[in-house]
């Protein structure tokens, strides 16, 4: 054996010896997890030191008004410690503290400016001051004579620390500083449990500071850990009960998931302990769920105690059943700064400094204690429930309906989410009065638009309470009585859903009432039509006809004419042949507004439309239907246009011929004089080529215009000639391909495929001619037939 | 001379009387005919009747099918046929079947001119038209035809959302009811005097509410219409409504002859409590413009109030006189 070989053996021996003796430090990323022996070790540590019962009937109150400690720097804040059983032993201290201190055994522990402050829970005297490794305290726990505190720098890549202090002297016993996030700790016998990076639950030996166990989730997150008696719970949305056998899946342990999906903000069971705020900094826990958990003997027996949980949203408090549905609700006068669930109900401390014991069954007040000071934040210990309900009872328990209505109608704009929750719960109740309640809430001036929409949706789903809706419909606008029209958006859909045909006369009255907002008319018309279809056809037809009659020719009363159009279409749907005939007459009348006439014509069956179209054009242009007794003083351009429309085919042929000769032709003009008897004289044309004049003049010369009282009248007629894309033109972009503007072009062209031929269209004075035809005049393609374009300009007077 | 053949002489006076009677009888027979001819509704000869019918048909066609100008012209022609009850219905039917905005107001005015109360139903429909001008025209027509239930229509106008309609409702209510129940003769000839008084009382209540809601025109209407009982209620609004508006109403109270002097004195006392220069000017102007021979105590009361209220004397007033009041 050479010296070299001996050296190698020695080195290998040293390395193996060192490797065998090295221990991984706490929170090391290489620490093994989810091992059964670790969990057995943890159970042994729990059993080694039995849990000390938590002191009860105490409150620690941060005095003052507002939301949490807004003060900063060195300003001192007043903390009041109250023992409900021994009011004489209450004390008050003023000190500079970042948040509300936590109670750990016989100490209150808080922090300020990177220092840990420990006060005696007996009299508030200062026990010790120690330096924290990192400035922000996250939480504290107590195991024997040791106080464990987690702290963080709250940076973007945070560092955290777990530090053990001596409970008497504040001496640092050990400290682990890591890169990562630690949550608030909880003691578990002789172990301290700390959530780590939201994925791990780390157990540290309270005496040595060594990590003894680690749970790692592969399908969930851990953001908090809590101890209740001898039971440890941890988790995030799911509540895990700590027990042996966890292997990384949420199915390995008994879990409980609260039915909070319907609650505003979907609050977690407990606040996230990685966050420095809000609880740690003393901000009141104004939004959250409160509950107790019953643990049965089996691992899977965890359930909400008494089947009752509570939801607090500022000053709204709800009692919920095991499915998360409200069983009672109440709106308190001031915000809740802290709440604590008990077997009998929920204790809430209000910002006014009043501790209320709300019964779990009905929300009635079982007791109240006035602390005599306003509160910004508080911690509440376990409470003994009052033996009997407070007498005299200041606020009687009320029905769920009244409680929810009270919450829903609350004008506080912060509370819209809980009002919305109350509205949803209210809408699920079937009592007819609920319909009235929802309507009342809807009509409140303080109800914000989102809530109104929700109320309208809730009302639309109602199946009871039609009488209340009908009664609401009887109300009308009154300047003197200061009443407004009823909220149709909320009422009409509900009545339609209920098929309430008694509503038709009331809706009709509102339809014809000038005080009904224009925007509500379409809804009213839809409601009348729908109820008409369901049976009240005659009433609906009568109302709609009268409305159409009154306003069909009025261009200003019906801005845009949407309501008129809807009424006509509804009449067409509800009515029969008689109504169709009536609408045909309306569409044929020259006085009917254009929008309505077009809409009726579009909606009519095609066969009827064809028969109606001619009189419409005729009347519009004052020809066929004009009474011989009524001779106008002068002809209008519409008369001229209508007369030219009768020779449109002939003109088209002439214009196409001229196009073959003049590629750049864009417009054709006719100017002439109309005599009193309707004949023409002094006709001129542009272009004035001999061929074109020879073609068109014989056709124009035979035209007969309507008679007028004017002896002579100059008139003109213009045809715009425009190119039109053709199928045989060079291939353009295909729909769905090419640039976005090209797609639009394609869509427009395809959208116009239903346009009637130009000689049947209302504006026949535009000829669209293919570009390819213009480019290749010698080969006139079949596709070069002129077509109308819907966006054609009106004829221009010469 | 044979006494049997002797003619009995007719006394000249009797002859004269007979002649006049004959003239009157003939005149009574001819007068309706002449008026009917003048109105174009001569139903005498078949030819004339056919001509009238044709003209009526022509006007009706122009009203429903003609241009706006033709329809307006037709309305003017139809207005001339006041005696023909078909005309009002013809116009009403045309309006109800839908006419353009300009024509509607003209048609309603024509219905008012024709004064036929049988078209009240149509007018009521247009009193609820969405356009303010149409509502106003319908209300004016309702007043013109002395529609049954007019007070109700005018009270409804006071509840309208448009201030112009409310103002017209207040003015018309005051004028109409004061005219129908103000004078003794009107009260005697009214078909139901109790009903009219009841109408006036109810209308006063509505007008007081309207005044409280800022309808200034209601003040004068209350002054024209209100009984002595209404004066204290009116006075309570003195602190809410503008003084000029209130003084206009008080003026209407003070000029009424049917109001007891004690009630007028109570007005002076109430105004004296306000004791401002505008009140003094108002009382001074009333003192100058009114004949107090039948109400010396009112005059005395005003004179004392004027003395007590501090402010410029009439001699020192601006040459332009007192400031104009609202709705005098």
């Amino acid at each position: 054996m050479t010296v070299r070989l001996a050296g190698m053996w020695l080195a290998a021996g040293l390395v193996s010896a060192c490797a065998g003796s090295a221990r991984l430090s706490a929170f090391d990323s290489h620490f093994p997890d989810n091992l059964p022996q670790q969990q057995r070790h943890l159970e042994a540590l729990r059993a080694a030191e039995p849990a000390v019962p938590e002191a009860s009937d105490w409150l620690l109150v941060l005095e003052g008004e507002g939301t949490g400690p807004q003060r900063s720097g060195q300003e001192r804040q007043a903390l009041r410690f109250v023992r409900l059983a021994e009011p004489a032993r209450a004390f008050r201290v003023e000190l500079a503290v970042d948040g509300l201190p936590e109670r750990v055994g016989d100490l209150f522990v808080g922090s300020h400016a990177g220092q840990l402050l420990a006060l005696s829970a007996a009299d508030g005297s200062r026990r010790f001051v120690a330096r924290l490794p990192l400035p922000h305290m996250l939480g504290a726990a107590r195991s024997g004579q040791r106080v464990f505190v987690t702290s963080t720098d709250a940076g973007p890549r945070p560092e955290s620390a777990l530090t053990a202090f001596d409970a008497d002297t504040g001496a640092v016993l050990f400290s682990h500083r890591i890169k990562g996030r630690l949550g608030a700790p909880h003691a578990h016998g002789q172990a301290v449990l700390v959530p780590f990076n939201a994925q791990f639950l780390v157990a540290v030996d309270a005496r040595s500071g060594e990590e003894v166990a680690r749970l790692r989730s592969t399908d969930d997150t851990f953001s908090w850990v809590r101890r209740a008696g001898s039971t440890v719970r941890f988790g995030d949305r799911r509540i895990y009960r700590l027990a042996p056998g966890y292997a990384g899946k949420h199915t390995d342990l008994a879990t409980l998931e609260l039915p909070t999906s319907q609650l505003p903000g979907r609050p977690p069971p407990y606040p996230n302990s990685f966050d420095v705020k809000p609880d740690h900094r003393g901000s009141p826990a104004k939004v959250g769920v409160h509950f107790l958990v019953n643990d049965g003997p089996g691992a899977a027996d965890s359930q909400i105690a008494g089947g009752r949980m509570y939801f607090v949203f500022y000053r709204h408090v709800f009692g919920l059943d095991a499915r998360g549905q409200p069983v009672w609700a109440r709106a308190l006068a001031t915000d809740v700064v802290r709440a604590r669930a008990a077997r009998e109900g929920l204790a809430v401390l209000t910002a006014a400094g009043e501790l209320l014991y709300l019964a779990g069954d009905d929300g009635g007040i079982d007791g109240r204690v006035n602390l005599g000071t306003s509160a910004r934040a508080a911690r509440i210990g376990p409470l003994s429930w009052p033996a009997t309900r407070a007498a005299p009872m200041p606020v009687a328990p009320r029905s769920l309906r009244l409680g929810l209505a009270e919450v829903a109608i609350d004008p506080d704009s912060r509370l819209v989410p809980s009002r919305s929750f109350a509205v949803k719960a209210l809408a699920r109740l079937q009592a007819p009065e609920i319909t009235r309640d929802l309507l009342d809430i809807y009509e409140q001036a303080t109800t914000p638009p989102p809530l109104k929409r929700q109320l309208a949706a809730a009302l639309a789903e109602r199946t009871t309470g039609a009488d209340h809706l009908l009664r609401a419909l009887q109300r009308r606008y009154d300047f003197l009585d200061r009443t407004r029209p009823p909220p149709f958006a909320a009422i009409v859909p509900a009545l339609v859903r209920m098929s309430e045909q008694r509503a038709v006369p009331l809706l009709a009255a509102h339809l014809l009432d000038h005080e009904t907002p224009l925007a509500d008319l379409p809804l009213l018309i839809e409601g009348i039509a729908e109820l008409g279809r369901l049976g009240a056809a005659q009433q609906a037809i009568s109302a709609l006809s009268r409305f159409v009659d009154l306003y069909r020719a009025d261009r200003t009363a019906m801005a845009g004419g949407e309501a008129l159009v809807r009424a006509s279409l509804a009449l067409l749907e509800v009515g029969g042949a008689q109504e169709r005939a009536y609408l045909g007459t309306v569409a044929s009348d020259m006085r009917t507004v254009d929008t309505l006439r077009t809409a009726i014509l579009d909606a009519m069956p095609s066969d009827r439309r064809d028969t109606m179209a001619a009189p419409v054009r005729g009347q519009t242009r004052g020809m066929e239907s004009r009474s011989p007794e009524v001779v106008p003083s002068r002809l209008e351009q519409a008369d001229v246009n209508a007369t030219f429309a009768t020779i449109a085919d002939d003109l088209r042929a002439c214009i196409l011929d001229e196009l073959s000769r003049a590629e750049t032709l864009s417009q054709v003009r006719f100017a002439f004089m109309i005599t009193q008897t309707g004949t023409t004289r002094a006709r001129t044309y542009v272009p004035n080529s001999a061929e074109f004049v020879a073609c068109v003049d014989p056709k124009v010369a035979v035209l007969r215009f309507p008679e007028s009282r004017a002896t002579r009248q100059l008139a003109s007629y213009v045809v715009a000639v425009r190119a039109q894309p053709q199928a045989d033109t060079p291939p353009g972009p295909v729909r769905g391909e090419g640039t976005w503007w090209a797609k639009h072009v394609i869509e427009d062209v395809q959208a116009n495929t239903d346009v009637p031929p130009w000689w049947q269209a209302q504006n026949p004075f535009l000829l669209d001619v293919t570009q390819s035809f213009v480019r290749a005049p010698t080969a006139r393609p079949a596709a070069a037939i002129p077509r109308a374009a819907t966006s054609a300009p009106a004829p221009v007077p010469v | 001379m044979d006494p049997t053949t002797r003619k009995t002489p007719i006394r000249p006076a009797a002859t004269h009387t007979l002649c006049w009677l004959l003239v009157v009888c003939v005149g009574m027979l001819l007068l309706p005919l002449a008026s009917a001819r003048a109105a174009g509704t001569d139903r005498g000869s078949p030819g004339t009747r056919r001509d009238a019918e044709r003209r009526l048909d022509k006007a009706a066609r122009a009203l429903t099918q003609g241009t706006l100008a033709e329809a307006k012209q037709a309305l003017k022609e139809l207005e001339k046929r006041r005696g023909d009850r078909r005309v009002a219905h013809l116009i009403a039917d045309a309006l109800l079947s839908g006419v353009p905005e300009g024509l509607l107001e003209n048609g309603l005015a024509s219905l008012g001119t024709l004064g036929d109360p049988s078209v009240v139903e149509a007018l009521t429909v247009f009193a609820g038209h969405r356009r303010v001008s149409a509502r106003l025209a319908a209300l004016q027509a309702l007043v013109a035809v002395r529609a049954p239930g007019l007070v109700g229509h005018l009270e409804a106008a006071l509840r309208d959302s448009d201030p112009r309609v409310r103002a017209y409702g207040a003015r018309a209510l005051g004028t109409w009811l004061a005219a129908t129940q103000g004078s003794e003769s009107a009260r005697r000839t009214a078909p139901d005097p109790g009903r009219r008084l009841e109408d006036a009382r109810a209308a006063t209540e509505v007008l007081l509410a309207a005044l409280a809601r800022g309808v200034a025109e209601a003040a004068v209407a209350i002054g024209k219409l209100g009984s002595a009982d209404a004066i204290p209620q009116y006075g309570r609004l003195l602190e809410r409504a503008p003084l000029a508006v209130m003084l206009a109403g008080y003026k209407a109270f003070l000029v009424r002859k049917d109001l007891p002097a004690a009630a007028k004195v109570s007005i002076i006392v109430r105004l004296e409590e306000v004791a401002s220069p505008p009140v003094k000017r108002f009382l001074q102007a009333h003192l100058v413009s009114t004949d107090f021979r039948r109400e010396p105590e009112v005059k005395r009361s005003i004179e004392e109030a004027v003395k007590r209220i501090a402010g410029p004397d009439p001699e020192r007033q601006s040459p332009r006189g007192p400031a104009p009041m609202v709705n005098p």
Side-chain angles (χ1 to χ4, degrees):
Chain A
M1 180 182 292
T2 62
V3 175
R4 186 177 175 189
L5 190 60
M8 285 174 65
W9 275 108
L10 182 62
L14 282 172
V15 167
S16 62
C18 291
S21 65
R23 302 194 59 142
L24 292 171
S25 62
F27 304 104
D28 191 296
S29 60
H30 295 99
F31 197 88
D33 49 47
N34 298 336
L35 298 179
Q37 61 269 29
Q38 289 179 351
Q39 294 171 28
R40 283 195 293 275
H41 188 189
L42 186 59
E43 182 59 22
L45 286 174
R46 182 194 70 78
E49 187 167 318
V52 179
E54 196 178 351
S56 63
D57 291 326
W58 60 266
L59 293 94
L60 181 66
V61 179
L62 183 65
E63 292 184 354
E65 295 175 353
T67 54
Q70 301 298 326
R71 305 166 188 182
S72 60
Q74 298 300 313
E75 195 170 350
R76 298 167 81 83
Q77 303 186 62
L79 291 168
R80 180 187 291 261
F81 180 69
V82 180
R83 287 187 181 86
L84 295 171
E86 301 170 276
R89 291 184 60 197
F91 63 83
R92 183 175 183 274
V93 291
E94 287 191 5
L95 75 164
V97 64
D98 285 345
L100 201 58
E102 290 190 37
R103 180 159 187 172
V104 284
D106 62 346
L107 291 178
F108 283 117
V109 178
S111 71
H112 178 67
Q115 288 193 315
L116 186 71
L117 309 172
L119 307 177
S120 165
D123 54 8
S125 61
R126 180 170 296 188
R127 187 72 66 86
F128 65 81
V129 176
R131 182 150 199 86
L132 283 171
L134 293 165
H136 302 292
M137 187 177 114
L138 289 165
R142 177 85 176 259
S143 176
Q145 283 301 304
R146 296 179 176 208
V147 174
F148 299 90
V149 175
T150 48
S151 55
T152 178
D153 61 358
R157 301 180 68 179
E159 284 191 36
S160 306
L162 170 67
T163 311
F165 297 93
D166 185 280
D168 290 327
T169 62
V172 175
L173 302 174
F174 64 81
S175 182
H176 298 292
R177 184 164 173 164
I178 60 158
K179 289 189 183 303
R181 301 172 72 203
L182 293 180
H186 262 269
H188 183 53
Q190 289 185 347
V192 176
L193 299 168
V194 188
F196 174 38
N197 280 348
Q199 191 185 3
F200 306 100
L201 184 66
V202 171
V204 175
D205 189 323
R207 297 160 301 175
S208 64
E210 291 178 356
E211 183 169 344
V212 293
R214 178 179 294 196
L215 304 184
R216 178 174 63 90
S217 173
T218 58
D219 60 358
D220 204 351
T221 54
F222 303 147
S223 67
W224 51 266
V225 57
R226 301 180 82 86
R227 182 175 63 86
S230 60
T231 306
V232 169
R233 295 192 179 83
F234 61 96
D236 187 14
R237 291 277 171 192
R238 289 194 187 89
I239 302 171
Y240 293 79
R241 180 182 171 190
L242 184 60
Y246 185 72
K249 301 282 188 191
H250 73 271
T251 49
D252 297 336
L253 292 178
T255 60
L256 175 65
E257 199 161 2
L258 297 183
T260 56
S261 58
Q262 303 289 322
L263 299 181
R266 202 181 165 217
Y270 299 104
N272 187 331
S273 70
F274 293 113
D275 293 340
V276 173
K277 58 181 188 307
D279 192 56
H280 175 74
R281 295 183 66 82
S283 292
K286 293 189 172 182
V287 178
V289 287
H290 304 272
F291 57 96
L292 293 178
V293 178
N294 266 346
D295 292 318
D301 288 343
S302 293
Q303 55 188 353
I304 300 171
R308 186 74 79 238
M309 55 185 275
Y310 310 94
F311 174 56
V312 175
F313 196 87
Y314 293 86
R315 54 195 182 81
H316 293 166
V317 186
F318 299 86
L320 309 173
D321 64 14
R323 293 174 295 117
Q325 301 302 320
V327 290
W328 57 263
R330 62 185 320 141
L332 301 175
T334 53
D335 287 354
V336 171
V337 295
R338 196 75 182 191
R340 183 164 187 137
R343 298 277 167 198
E344 299 83 356
L346 182 73
V348 295
L349 179 68
T350 68
E354 201 169 34
L355 181 66
L356 299 173
Y357 296 85
L358 304 178
D361 294 336
D362 55 16
I365 296 177
D366 281 350
R368 66 171 73 207
V369 177
N370 195 334
L371 302 184
T373 178
S374 55
R376 276 191 287 160
R379 292 192 190 282
I380 303 177
L383 294 173
S384 309
W385 207 255
T388 56
R389 181 161 279 193
M393 193 164 53
V395 182
R398 74 278 313 273
S399 68
L400 174 61
R401 176 195 146 215
L402 287 179
L404 290 172
E406 184 186 45
V407 169
I409 214 161
D410 194 326
D412 193 333
S413 58
R414 296 173 306 160
L415 309 183
V416 171
S418 57
R419 293 171 67 186
S420 169
F421 175 68
V423 165
K424 283 180 192 164
L426 203 55
R428 278 194 291 269
L429 305 180
Q430 283 304 311
E433 294 75 23
I434 302 294
T435 304
R436 188 189 57 202
D437 292 341
L438 293 172
L439 203 55
D440 288 345
I441 298 165
Y442 185 94
E443 293 204 68
Q444 292 292 315
T446 53
T447 304
L451 199 54
K452 281 197 172 184
R453 283 194 289 275
Q454 192 187 341
L455 281 160
L459 275 165
E461 296 297 315
R462 299 291 300 169
T463 53
T464 58
D467 288 340
H468 297 292
L469 297 175
L470 293 175
R471 201 166 300 126
L473 267 188
Q474 286 167 0
R475 197 184 67 213
R476 297 183 62 181
Y477 173 89
D478 192 318
F479 174 77
L480 297 184
D481 293 343
R482 302 174 193 234
T483 55
R484 292 174 299 166
F488 299 110
I491 293 176
V492 176
L495 287 170
V496 169
R497 183 182 168 84
M498 295 175 194
S499 304
E500 189 50 77
Q501 293 171 28
R502 288 178 294 166
V504 173
L506 295 167
L507 294 175
H510 283 291
L511 178 65
L512 297 169
D513 186 355
H514 64 277
E515 304 292 5
T516 304
L518 204 58
D520 284 337
L521 292 183
L523 184 64
L524 281 176
I525 290 163
E526 295 296 330
I528 291 170
E530 195 63 39
L531 292 174
R533 274 192 285 270
L534 294 172
Q538 275 313 311
Q539 290 174 309
I541 288 168
S542 168
L544 294 170
S545 312
R546 197 167 174 193
F547 179 76
V548 173
D549 264 347
L550 264 183
Y551 296 110
R552 68 182 176 86
D554 205 315
R555 284 171 172 77
T556 53
M558 291 283 131
E562 186 198 353
L564 263 179
V565 170
R566 289 212 188 185
S568 304
L569 299 184
L571 204 50
L572 208 56
E573 287 175 24
V574 180
Q578 199 177 343
E579 282 65 41
R580 280 198 295 278
Y582 160 73
L583 287 174
T585 315
V586 168
S588 306
D589 192 338
M590 58 184 272
R591 290 175 173 175
T592 302
V593 293
D594 294 338
T595 323
L596 177 59
R597 218 171 47 212
T598 310
I600 294 174
L601 284 173
D602 288 346
M604 283 279 185
S606 56
D607 53 338
R608 268 197 78 76
R609 186 169 56 213
D610 291 344
T611 58
M612 285 168 52
V616 167
R617 281 201 296 274
Q619 278 208 344
T620 306
R621 283 139 200 148
M623 290 175 61
E624 292 91 337
S625 67
R626 188 189 293 280
S627 163
E629 306 283 345
V630 185
V631 177
S633 56
R634 287 175 65 82
L635 292 183
E636 297 173 358
Q637 185 64 41
D639 298 323
V640 177
N641 296 344
T643 308
F644 265 91
T646 60
I647 58 165
D649 287 337
D650 297 334
L651 292 182
R652 179 186 57 167
C654 295
I655 292 170
L656 287 174
D657 279 341
E658 182 63 16
L659 266 174
S660 65
R661 290 184 290 271
E663 294 180 5
T664 55
L665 180 66
S666 61
Q667 198 176 62
V668 176
R669 295 183 177 215
F670 307 79
F672 46 90
M673 186 182 293
I674 305 174
T675 64
Q676 196 170 10
T677 56
T679 56
T680 55
R681 290 169 52 196
R683 297 177 292 275
T684 58
Y685 307 93
V686 175
N688 61 352
S689 65
E691 295 88 349
F692 183 65
V693 172
C695 180
V696 297
D697 190 61
K699 297 173 177 64
V700 177
V702 297
L703 278 178
R704 286 295 175 270
F705 291 87
E707 293 180 11
S708 69
R709 293 202 292 272
T711 316
R712 289 179 302 176
Q713 179 181 347
L714 285 173
S716 64
Y717 179 69
V718 181
V719 177
V721 180
R722 195 174 70 183
Q724 170 203 357
Q726 293 297 312
D728 55 350
T729 54
V734 181
R735 187 186 183 112
E737 293 180 6
T739 56
W740 62 268
W741 56 87
K743 288 178 188 172
H744 279 277
V745 169
I746 296 297
E747 284 166 5
D748 287 346
V749 170
Q750 290 178 350
N752 284 337
T753 51
D754 295 333
V755 174
W758 67 278
W759 55 91
Q760 287 184 9
Q762 283 198 317
N763 182 358
F765 317 115
L766 178 77
L767 298 185
D768 279 357
V769 182
T770 174
Q771 283 284 3
S772 61
F773 170 70
V774 172
R775 287 184 192 125
T778 51
R780 185 190 305 173
I785 298 168
R787 285 189 60 212
T790 52
S791 58
V796 183
V798 176
Chain B
M1 181 182 252
D2 185 1
T4 57
T5 60
R6 195 184 63 169
K7 291 180 180 172
T8 307
I10 297 172
R11 280 187 284 184
T15 309
H16 194 73
T17 306
L18 277 173
C19 281
W20 274 113
L21 273 172
L22 195 61
V23 166
V24 167
C25 287
V26 170
M28 285 176 71
L29 282 171
L30 292 178
L31 193 61
L33 198 63
S35 63
R37 185 178 290 274
T41 58
D42 178 15
R43 295 184 183 86
S45 65
T48 315
R49 195 162 57 237
R50 270 200 304 276
D51 185 45
E53 291 295 327
R54 208 175 64 246
R55 276 189 290 168
L56 191 63
D57 287 346
K58 183 181 171 186
R61 269 199 302 274
L63 192 58
T64 53
Q65 297 173 9
T67 62
L68 192 61
E70 290 161 2
K72 286 182 177 177
Q73 183 62 33
L75 280 175
K76 282 182 187 168
E77 287 174 13
L78 288 171
E79 278 179 25
K80 294 175 188 168
R81 305 167 65 95
R82 284 195 64 148
D84 192 344
R85 297 197 64 176
R86 290 174 299 169
V87 171
H89 286 281
L90 192 148
I91 297 175
D93 288 346
L95 299 186
L96 283 173
S97 68
V99 291
E101 44 270 40
L103 190 55
L104 178 56
E105 283 78 356
N106 282 38
L108 291 169
S110 297
L111 288 178
T113 307
L114 291 168
D116 187 347
S118 63
V119 293
V120 165
E121 200 176 335
L123 293 177
T124 307
V125 170
F126 290 109
H129 198 273
R130 297 196 77 85
R131 258 187 306 104
V132 176
S133 59
R135 295 208 292 278
L136 280 171
L139 284 171
Q140 286 162 357
L142 282 167
V143 172
V145 302
R146 293 176 166 77
L150 177 62
V151 175
H153 291 302
L154 295 177
E155 284 181 6
L158 281 172
R159 300 172 187 279
D160 198 283
S161 57
D162 191 273
R164 290 164 289 179
V165 179
R166 293 198 297 268
Y168 179 79
R171 279 197 300 267
L173 204 51
T175 309
W176 166 253
L177 280 176
T180 53
Q181 63 106 32
S183 66
E184 283 296 325
S185 61
R187 273 187 239 178
R188 277 198 301 274
T189 55
D192 186 357
R195 170 71 188 276
R196 290 197 186 279
L197 282 174
E198 191 59 39
D199 279 351
R201 194 170 294 120
T204 307
E205 293 292 327
V206 179
L207 286 166
L208 282 165
L211 182 58
R213 289 278 282 132
V215 182
E217 290 78 4
V220 176
I222 295 167
K224 287 179 179 175
L225 202 61
S227 64
D229 298 341
I231 292 173
Q233 295 178 56
Y234 182 76
R236 277 196 280 278
L237 296 170
L238 200 51
E239 292 155 12
R240 295 169 60 182
L243 182 60
V245 171
M246 293 300 291
L247 289 178
Y250 276 130
K251 172 86 176 168
F253 270 119
L254 289 173
V255 298
R256 277 167 56 182
K257 293 188 170 61
D258 61 321
L259 207 62
K264 294 182 179 177
V265 171
S266 74
I267 291 174
I268 310 303
V269 171
R270 180 75 179 96
L271 284 175
E272 201 180 327
E273 291 172 9
V274 179
S276 64
V279 170
K280 185 170 186 175
R281 284 197 296 274
F282 168 76
L283 292 175
Q284 286 166 341
H286 187 60
L287 202 56
V288 171
S289 63
T290 312
D291 178 10
F292 288 103
R293 272 176 295 181
R294 291 174 65 186
E295 299 170 323
E297 64 271 43
V298 177
K299 182 180 184 186
R300 208 164 37 248
S301 175
I302 293 175
E303 286 170 343
E304 288 170 5
V306 167
K307 279 180 200 165
R308 276 196 286 271
I309 298 173
D313 290 332
E315 294 77 25
R316 294 184 214 158
Q317 281 184 10
S318 161
R320 287 177 297 177
M325 289 181 298
V326 175
N327 298 318

